[in-house]
Amino acid sequence: MKVTVFGIGYVGLVQGAVLAEIGHDVVCVDVDEQKVRNLEQGIIPIYEPGLEALVKENYSAGRLKFTIDSASAVKHGEVQFIAVGTPPDEDGSADLQYVLAVAETIANNIENHCIIINKSTVPVGTADKVKDRVASVLFQRGRTDLSFDVASNPEFLKEGSAVSDCMRPDRIIVGTEQASTEEVIRDLYAPFNRNHEKIIVMDVRSAELTKYAANCMLATKISFMNEISSLAEMLGADIEMVRKGIGSDPRIGYHFIYAGSGYGGSCFPKDVKALIKTSEQLDFDAILLKSVESRNNDQKSVIFRKIMNHYDGDIAGKTFALWGLSFKPNTDDMREAPSRVLMEALWKHGANVRAFDPEAMEETQRIYGHRKDFSLCGTKEEALKDSDSLIIITEWQSFKAPDFEQVKDQLKAPVVFDGRNLFDPKVMLKKGFTYVSIGR
Ligand code: NAD
């Protein structure tokens, strides 16, 4: 099938590459010319396991193309995906300007019946707004003869495993009330639907809300565990034991119940915020969601408070080795990363940071490269040199079994602040470390 994807970000690029891989003829379009030129030269804008090979292979095979020419891109596709950003507006609601701009572009260029599939995370009612925008442009063009439909197909990929999530989705949510649109989307995703039925068809509004409900549920689990971790500390319990204890109940499960330094990234924070905003617009007090958000905002400072506590509030002139920068492992995404809140607090109090991350160095350089109180180190060991203590903020695999003797040798004092509970406190004590973690 001929497919057009608007937006070459985490969602659009992965979606485009995966659809090309299963044989569709895909054109990805973006307004960022540099990104498009880079992709044509094999330079992939983001880090995602398996993505580079997939993009290069399908680009060479001619099934995946990149362009900034939106007019010809629209003419290419039987289906038009919208996968552009929906960042928070100043008031926390989702900013729909990019989605609606794409709707206009599509409307200005279609010549045949077209199915617009929205993959961006958007508030309930956005498909109606897209429909209105397209209809009004078609009216201005004098082309009210052209038919179109707008479906919702929210994306559930996780950064860090985006390719495999798209190749092997748990479910494919399709919001449409038109049988012909459902049929086209079923065709599009048929290779993913062979093993068992993964497509769940529903009305558009329910599909739009399903995406927010999923992210808010996951954020709730994290904030819940972080709240319990503070209680565990005060009560002399160990949150890791509590996690195992409750995770064994299949109604709760082991996923997403780690206490830590809070959730970040481009989705949970903005989606929780956006659903709170939607509730406000409906005069409904989303008390649970508001608590989830404020617990998370506070949790991002927990490790910093522990550091201040350890140094009696005086960290001026101290140097901290920091392992991990991205908001979670296996991505280079720094959006809303807890590391940023931590580093900014350390700098504000006169401390220096020596940081290492397996993938997010370039992105961090772009954001903080100008700072004199900050160095990016080539390895995690180099970050330790001349540092007063070590802080771990992202749970990359390569941080989980360090050479502790070397860590001790390199640091000025054997002190580890662990924002992800990677190690056993008893073992760390035995190894001679002062070990500060979360909820234990
Ligand atoms: P992103 O910021 O990585 O990419 C968006 C891309 O859209 C950018 O390259 C931008 O230049 C491009 N763009 C903006 N306006 C455009 C236009 N008019 N025409 C063409 N391209 C345009 O965003 P993302 O992380 O891929 O997220 C996209 C959407 O998917 C968001 O709504 C997000 O909430 C949702 N989502 C993201 C994830 C994730 O893990 N990142 C997962 C599920 C859903």
Side-chain angles (χ1 to χ4, degrees):
M1 195 179 298
K2 288 186 181 300
V3 177
T4 298
V5 180
F6 276 87
I8 312 183
Y10 284 86
V11 170
L13 181 57
V14 175
Q15 176 74 4
V18 163
L19 289 175
E21 175 70 9
I22 58 171
H24 297 302
D25 180 1
V26 182
V27 170
C28 290
V29 52
D30 205 288
V31 287
D32 184 339
E33 183 167 1
Q34 191 56 47
K35 199 182 256 190
V36 168
R37 299 289 158 252
N38 284 347
L39 278 159
E40 286 170 339
Q41 287 162 36
I43 303 167
I44 312 298
I46 52 170
Y47 173 73
E48 264 307 321
L51 183 62
E52 185 165 349
L54 200 69
V55 168
K56 286 183 173 166
E57 208 176 287
N58 284 285
Y59 181 74
S60 310
R63 287 189 297 267
L64 180 62
K65 298 182 192 79
F66 303 104
T67 185
I68 53 159
D69 179 357
S70 51
S72 68
V74 171
K75 290 189 175 75
H76 168 84
E78 295 158 58
V79 297
Q80 313 273 334
F81 276 101
I82 304 180
V84 296
T86 47
D89 221 334
E90 270 162 30
D91 65 356
S93 62
D95 180 353
L96 293 178
Q97 62 167 310
Y98 307 104
V99 169
L100 295 174
V102 173
E104 259 181 46
T105 304
I106 294 171
N108 270 314
N109 293 288
I110 47 170
E111 293 298 343
N112 296 301
H113 172 77
C114 127
I115 296 175
I116 300 168
I117 305 177
N118 184 43
K119 260 209 170 294
S120 298
T121 302
V122 291
V124 175
T126 300
D128 292 335
K129 287 189 180 156
V130 169
K131 248 183 209 167
D132 289 349
R133 189 62 66 96
V134 173
S136 88
V137 173
L138 289 180
F139 180 75
Q140 286 159 22
R141 280 179 66 198
R143 292 301 311 266
T144 45
D145 59 305
L146 288 170
S147 59
F148 68 95
D149 189 24
V150 181
S152 166
N153 170 218
E155 181 52 60
F156 294 94
L157 65 78
K158 302 181 282 299
E159 284 180 27
S161 58
V163 171
S164 65
D165 289 345
C166 279
M167 291 297 253
R168 282 174 288 280
D170 297 323
R171 77 300 212 188
I172 300 168
I173 302 290
V174 177
T176 180
E177 279 110 55
Q178 282 201 17
S180 55
T181 299
E182 179 186 333
E183 202 178 310
V184 171
I185 297 178
R186 280 190 177 279
D187 267 4
L188 186 72
Y189 288 128
F192 303 135
N193 207 33
R194 281 168 65 97
N195 180 266
H196 63 272
E197 181 66 85
K198 292 187 181 152
I199 296 179
I200 304 172
V201 183
M202 57 183 77
D203 61 282
V204 175
R205 288 183 163 246
S206 300
E208 289 172 333
L209 185 55
T210 296
K211 174 63 194 177
Y212 280 106
N215 276 359
C216 290
M217 178 74 200
L218 295 170
T220 301
K221 287 182 95 173
I222 295 174
S223 276
F224 173 82
M225 278 315 270
N226 284 333
E227 188 151 309
I228 299 294
S229 76
S230 293
L231 283 171
E233 267 175 33
M234 288 183 264
L235 295 167
D238 180 341
I239 192 66
E240 278 302 294
M241 298 317 298
V242 176
R243 176 181 70 76
K244 289 174 190 159
I246 65 169
S248 57
D249 181 336
R251 292 170 303 174
I252 296 174
Y254 290 106
H255 292 296
F256 268 79
I257 56 166
Y258 286 91
S261 293
Y263 58 76
S266 69
C267 292
F268 289 4
K270 90 170 164 58
D271 293 349
V272 172
K273 229 184 245 320
L275 201 51
I276 292 171
K277 193 67 205 168
T278 296
S279 308
E280 274 171 25
Q281 286 159 352
L282 297 166
D283 262 339
F284 174 71
D285 192 8
I287 44 178
L288 179 60
L289 295 177
K290 286 197 267 187
S291 305
V292 167
E293 182 181 48
S294 51
R295 169 59 56 213
N296 193 61
N297 289 341
D298 184 69
Q299 196 69 22
K300 286 184 174 178
S301 301
V302 164
I303 270 290
F304 176 70
R305 289 200 293 268
K306 286 172 186 272
I307 293 167
M308 291 300 266
N309 193 32
H310 177 86
Y311 291 104
D312 288 329
D314 183 14
I315 57 166
K318 297 233 174 309
T319 299
F320 293 92
L322 180 63
W323 286 3
L325 291 160
S326 56
F327 84 92
K328 69 172 183 179
N330 297 320
T331 179
D332 58 356
D333 199 339
M334 289 289 290
R335 290 178 283 186
E336 304 262 354
S339 69
R340 297 175 70 158
V341 176
L342 171 68
M343 289 193 292
E344 283 168 24
L346 292 170
W347 291 326
K348 199 168 152 208
H349 288 79
N352 304 295
V353 176
R354 290 173 61 77
F356 169 76
D357 186 281
E359 291 297 337
M361 305 282 271
E362 211 175 293
E363 184 57 5
T364 312
Q365 172 69 22
R366 189 184 67 75
I367 305 167
Y368 296 119
H370 60 282
R371 296 198 66 107
K372 295 218 169 4
D373 42 11
F374 182 51
S375 359
L376 281 163
C377 304
T379 62
K380 64 181 193 291
E381 290 76 20
E382 202 188 314
L384 300 169
K385 275 182 206 153
D386 301 322
S387 291
D388 287 271
S389 53
L390 165 65
I391 312 168
I392 302 172
I393 204 81
T394 316
E395 67 278 30
W396 284 90
Q397 271 315 72
S398 58
F399 300 160
K400 290 182 180 169
D403 178 341
F404 285 110
E405 283 313 306
Q406 192 183 18
V407 173
K408 238 189 331 194
D409 285 351
Q410 302 276 9
L411 290 176
K412 286 188 196 160
V415 182
V416 176
F417 299 96
D418 181 356
R420 297 292 169 185
N421 289 352
L422 298 188
F423 312 121
D424 183 336
K426 288 194 198 93
V427 174
M428 292 300 278
L429 192 67
K430 231 191 238 165
K431 288 185 189 294
F433 283 94
T434 299
Y435 179 63
V436 182
S437 54
I438 308 266
R440 301 194 280 180

